[in-house]
Structure formats: structure tokens, C-alpha cells
Amino acid sequence: MTVCLKGRKNEPERVGVDFEVWPEAIELGRLFAQEGYELALVGGPVRDLLLGRPSHDLDFCTSATPEQFEPILRRYGKDGFWDMGRKFGTLGALRRRDDGTEVQMEVTTYRSDVYDPDSRKPEVNYGDSLEGDLSRRDFTVNAMALRVPDLEFVDPFGGASDLHKQVLRTPVDPRQSFDDDPLRMMRAVRFVAQLGFHIAPETAEAMTDMVDRIDIVSAERVRDELTKLLLSERPRLGLEAFVESGLANIVFPEIPALQLEIDEHHRHKDVFEHTMIVVDRAVALETGPDGPVPGPDLTLRLAALVHDIGKPKTRRFEPGGKVSFHHHDAVGAKLTRKRLRALRFDHHLVDDVSELVDLHLRFHGYVDEPWTDSAVRRYVKDAGHLYHRLNRLTRADATTQNRRKAAMFAHAMDEMEARVTRLKEQEDIDAIRPDLNGDEIMAELGLQPGKMVGLARKHMLEYRLDNGPVDHETALAELHRWYDELNGGASDGQTDGASGDGGDNGNSNTNN
């Protein structure tokens, strides 16, 4: 059914949009009405309907209790039913259309929550009106409803007007709203990123004054909001609001710390501004679904955000007015791991983002002096499954305004990637292994399992990367050469070199 909404009589026009309402919503509304219950589509789906944004997850609220509407929802949700939110008054159902599209619906009894000031978890109390339920929502643009099946538009807090103005404002006093649920402050900066809206001055002021309240929110809930922000269409806008509000000082202090004071001679960039540019460029370098880095890619976007967080700790003012950030890649990798763990990110994601930060300067030497094939193999091997993301992060990080330098860098990266393609046609670089495995090394040198075997295998891997594949006899000869040199010319596997002390020395030599 097509509906057109206009401003009320004697009010300025707020929205005038023709749109098609989901037939599932109208049908479910009829079923509730037949039983004498109210049902209204609320929140994000109504907002997105007015914005013309697609949505397949429908949220409703109702005058019925879960026990009263459960039979209706079970019958209607013939393709799925769930009740994990029962204690909050929420039940869900799934309908699958003929074209295979799935529509998820969640229905919640009218709510009138009471919050404990030391917790963001509300004591759930059922309300008695739609308007009361809307008053407890986070922002006015999410506090609109559409009664079904009659399609009466309900907007007690001017959400449609705020939607037209692209502003985020709370339905009640913002201090009360954020005191009740501090996570709403994170949702505000997330909506800036998702919708491109700005935060109303009084709402922004309340956020700045109350940022400390975010401490009572679990790391997991904060992480989820930050993730949604990063995966949005405009992560930079959300990140800037995140920092401006003061939330980042508590949630992710390494990010506002990038706002380094530029030296008087402007010999280095504002690192925060540079980081925002890198985030934008990384997003632009994501690929379509069939490419190597389909967007939106959380790993790449997080790496772009944190790639320089080691700079504040490593900044040094050198003679002649120069500024250096030696080893900020390694320092940044450690800081990244610590912060992402604190935010309870998946450990695989933590490992990948930390590795990208550690490797993000690796390519720069290639621009001055192209690598040998062995160095290219080693780069690909070290990057592993992160190879395509690392290249995109490296490209995004090249923000020089010098056109000649930018062209040289782009050409060098193009050339290196072409060389990798050619090398991969000759051999599977990703699957490179030493020409001798651990069992062969132990048998040849008469060693028992231990540190020395690992050192020998590491050396043979380096030899393989440097020289490409060799025959078995050549590999054995190299193993003995290395082992004899390590042990001062001894050829017996049971020398002191096989002891723990000798292994430590070997490790040092190998790393050098």
C-alpha cells in the first residue's frame, strides 16, 4: 500500500513522501486488530521508510503482553519464531517471501522502563500507550511510529521535522536520556556515521558533560556500536563526532591522542587529520563482493584508524627542527593489541589488525630501491592472508601532496603487485615451505625435538625464500653448511650447539 505523509494542520510541512509499506506489516497488524490489540511499526524501520532506505528487519510495539500475542506471532511466523527477548517483552518471527527474501519481525509490549543509575540495564515495566513507549527511545528520528493496519502516522516529538533537518535530538531532556542509558551517546556518534546527521547543540553539550557515564556500559556493547560506526557509509564523520564529544577519551584514548600539536615549522602533519584521510582512502580502496577486499571490511578500516597510534609515544624532536617517530609501527601494534582486547574484539581480528599495523611501513623501502625476488617473496609470505589488505592500507597511508612523490609511490606499488602476480604464476608463494621438514632435519643432523630443530627449519625457510625451490641434495648441503658454521665447524649432531644455550646463540645469529 502506498502512503503519503504530510505535516499536521497548522504545522509546517515536515515530510512529504510517497512510500510502499511492507505488506507483512499490514497483514500482521490485521491479525492483532482482530484480537483487539494495537500494533505499530516503530523506530528504525519508520525512519528508514521516510528516508527511502531499505530495511528487512521490522520492529513493532503492541498493547498486548507476550503471553497474549505469542500465539499470533507463532502462526504468522511460519518460517521461524524466537523468544530470546521474552524477559524484555520481545518475541520474534520470520517470513520468507516467494523470491527468497527474508523479513524479520520483532514485537515488544509497550514499555515504560526504570533505570538503575549504576547500570544501563532497565527494570522492564510494561506501559499502556504508544506515546509513552516512544518517549523512552533514544532520538526523535527513532521515536516515530506507524499504526498498522490503519497506517496512522504518530510523531509526538517532531521526529519527522528533525529527520528533514538531519539532526539528532533526544525526545526528553538529553541529560535524563543519557543518564538512563549512557550507550545512547555511542549510538549518537554511530548515527552521525550511518545517516550523515549532526547532533543537536543541547544534545552534544549533554554528551560532553556526561561522557564518564559510559564507564557503566559493558565493553561488548560499546564495541558493537563502534563496529557499526566503522562499517557505515561515513565512518569519518562518526569518528570525528566520537572524538569531539569526549567519548573517545574514555573508550579509545589512543585516537584523540593523535591530535598532536604541530611544530611551529609544520614539519609534520596533524596525525589525527592524516588518520581521517587514511580511513577515507581505505574505504575507497575496498572492492566489490568478487574482489580481494570486499567492503565494508572491518579489519582494513580498523587498521586504517589505528595504524599511527604509536606516533605520540615515539615522537622525538631532532636537531635541525626535524621530527621523528622511530619504531611507531611496532609500538602501535602493541597498543592496538591491548586496546582491541580491552574492547573484547574477536582474537582473530585483534591479531590481524595488530599485524597490519606492524607491517604498514614495510613497503616504503621498495620505492627507493626495488626489491629482489627473494624480498618480494618474503613480503608476501609475511603478509600471508593479509596481503591485499596490507597493500590497500599502504596505498591509503601515502597521503603526500607532492604529485611527483605520489606518482612514484603508486608506480612502485603497481610494479611490486605485478611482480607478485608473475611470481605466483611460477610458484604458490602463499604455500612456500622449507625444502626439508622437521623430521628430515632431525634425521639428518641427529637431533631430538627442540629449539635447534626450529632454528634449522627457520633457516631453511629463509634459504627457500632467497633461492626459490632447490633439489633435495642441495637443500641437505645447505643444512649441513649452516649447522657446521653455527657450531664452529662441528658436524656431529650431539655437539654443544644442540643444547639450550647453543640454541639461544643460534637464534640470535639467525635473527641478525
Side-chain angles (χ1 to χ4, degrees), residues 120-299:
R120 71 161 299 275
K121 296 181 179 178
E123 298 175 12
V124 178
N125 295 309
Y126 293 148
D128 56 9
S129 71
L130 174 58
E131 287 75 7
D133 183 277
L134 294 176
S135 71
R136 56 166 290 279
R137 296 181 178 267
D138 51 8
F139 302 105
T140 59
V141 295
N142 295 327
M144 300 178 287
L146 192 63
R147 293 185 185 274
V148 287
D150 298 335
L151 300 181
E152 176 193 349
F153 182 57
V154 181
D155 182 19
F157 303 103
S161 177
D162 286 344
L163 197 67
H164 178 71
K165 298 173 184 175
Q166 298 187 323
V167 64
L168 293 168
R169 184 172 56 85
T170 55
V172 297
D173 181 272
R175 284 171 170 75
Q176 176 189 332
S177 181
F178 297 146
D179 192 56
D180 285 347
D181 185 358
L183 188 64
R184 288 170 178 163
M185 294 186 286
M186 284 296 300
R187 288 172 62 83
V189 297
R190 188 248 290 184
F191 284 129
V192 169
Q194 287 185 330
L195 302 174
F197 289 9
H198 65 275
I199 302 172
E202 67 277 9
T203 304
E205 182 180 352
M207 289 173 62
T208 301
D209 292 344
M210 301 181 68
V211 288
D212 289 345
R213 286 283 291 160
I214 201 68
D215 276 336
I216 72 168
V217 182
S218 71
E220 290 83 359
R221 298 299 298 275
V222 172
R223 173 205 64 206
D224 290 347
E225 291 298 327
L226 182 59
T227 297
K228 291 174 183 177
L229 184 161
L230 287 169
L231 294 178
S232 71
E233 295 180 10
R234 311 166 188 84
R236 177 175 179 171
L237 291 180
L239 290 168
E240 290 172 341
F242 183 46
V243 171
E244 289 168 7
S245 68
L247 283 168
N249 291 325
I250 298 173
V251 173
F252 212 135
E254 294 81 4
I255 303 305
L258 294 172
Q259 295 176 308
L260 297 174
E261 180 182 349
I262 302 177
D263 67 285
E264 59 179 340
H265 301 294
H266 296 274
R267 285 192 169 90
H268 75 275
K269 306 170 187 175
D270 178 333
V271 183
F272 178 74
E273 175 64 20
H274 164 75
T275 296
M276 294 299 97
I277 294 172
V278 174
V279 169
D280 277 344
R281 288 166 60 94
V283 170
L285 288 169
E286 291 172 341
T287 64
D290 298 326
V293 186
D297 187 83
L298 181 60
T299 302

